[in-house]
Amino acid sequence: MEIRKRGGKGVKIKWYTIEEDTVVPRAELPALIRGVKELGKQYHFDAVCYGHAGDGNLHIRIKKHGTDNSMDDPELVTGLRALFKLVHHLGGTISGEHGIGLIQKGYMDIVFSQGHLDLMRGIKKIFDPNNILNAGKIFD
């Protein structure tokens, strides 16, 4: 476990500032890693992949020259959409242990149908009618 923790710190030191949290079936991990590298070439980013291979959870740390934040780079936004489509195609989802956040919320349509999204909005409205719990984090 200490090695894994040090790995995460090491990539931050090397300016891999953008982290995505994906999960695919374990048998699909090699395809995901190959796909990440191909997408990196296409969308001009470097990536380091690490995480919890035992449960298919792969942290993808991205570094793109001049970009600290994926939301500020249109090319990277397109690249992340392609990444999340790959993850979905491989039978996975766009978030493992970290949950849906400000970055992933723009990609939820890749893995969830409109019906599922409407159901989630409805459940949130029942439990949070005043929209005070994590307002704007997943649903606007």
Side-chain angles (χ1 to χ4, degrees):
M1 185 149 105
E2 186 62 30
I3 291 172
R4 185 180 62 79
K5 287 181 182 179
R6 286 186 182 184
K9 290 176 184 175
V11 295
K12 291 176 191 174
I13 291 169
K14 293 293 185 181
W15 296 101
Y16 286 83
T17 57
I18 300 162
E19 182 175 24
E20 298 305 329
D21 179 37
T22 62
V23 178
V24 296
R26 289 182 308 242
E28 299 295 349
L29 283 170
L32 177 58
I33 293 169
R34 282 191 302 273
V36 167
K37 297 302 181 179
E38 290 170 12
L39 290 169
K41 290 177 188 173
Q42 184 177 354
Y43 294 100
H44 309 107
F45 64 80
D46 292 319
V48 173
C49 302
Y50 64 96
H52 317 277
D55 64 5
N57 186 332
L58 192 66
H59 302 300
I60 301 169
R61 278 276 187 175
I62 295 172
K63 173 172 66 172
K64 184 172 182 195
H65 182 70
T67 302
D68 293 329
N69 168 330
S70 64
M71 295 182 287
D72 294 335
D73 186 313
E75 183 180 44
L76 197 49
V77 167
T78 303
L80 288 178
R81 182 159 280 281
L83 168 64
F84 291 139
K85 284 181 180 180
L86 171 64
V87 166
H88 182 62
H89 173 75
L90 295 173
T93 191
I94 64 173
S95 182
E97 63 191 348
H98 296 283
I100 300 294
L102 292 173
I103 293 175
Q104 288 86 0
K105 82 179 202 175
Y107 304 97
M108 288 176 61
D109 64 301
I110 295 170
V111 293
F112 299 111
S113 69
Q114 188 59 51
H116 287 123
L117 292 170
D118 291 343
L119 179 62
M120 287 186 259
R121 281 186 188 93
I123 291 169
K124 177 162 174 41
K125 189 170 183 141
I126 288 170
F127 288 98
D128 184 19
N130 297 319
N131 197 33
I132 60 171
L133 303 173
N134 285 329
K137 295 292 183 182
I138 297 179
F139 300 115
D140 294 324

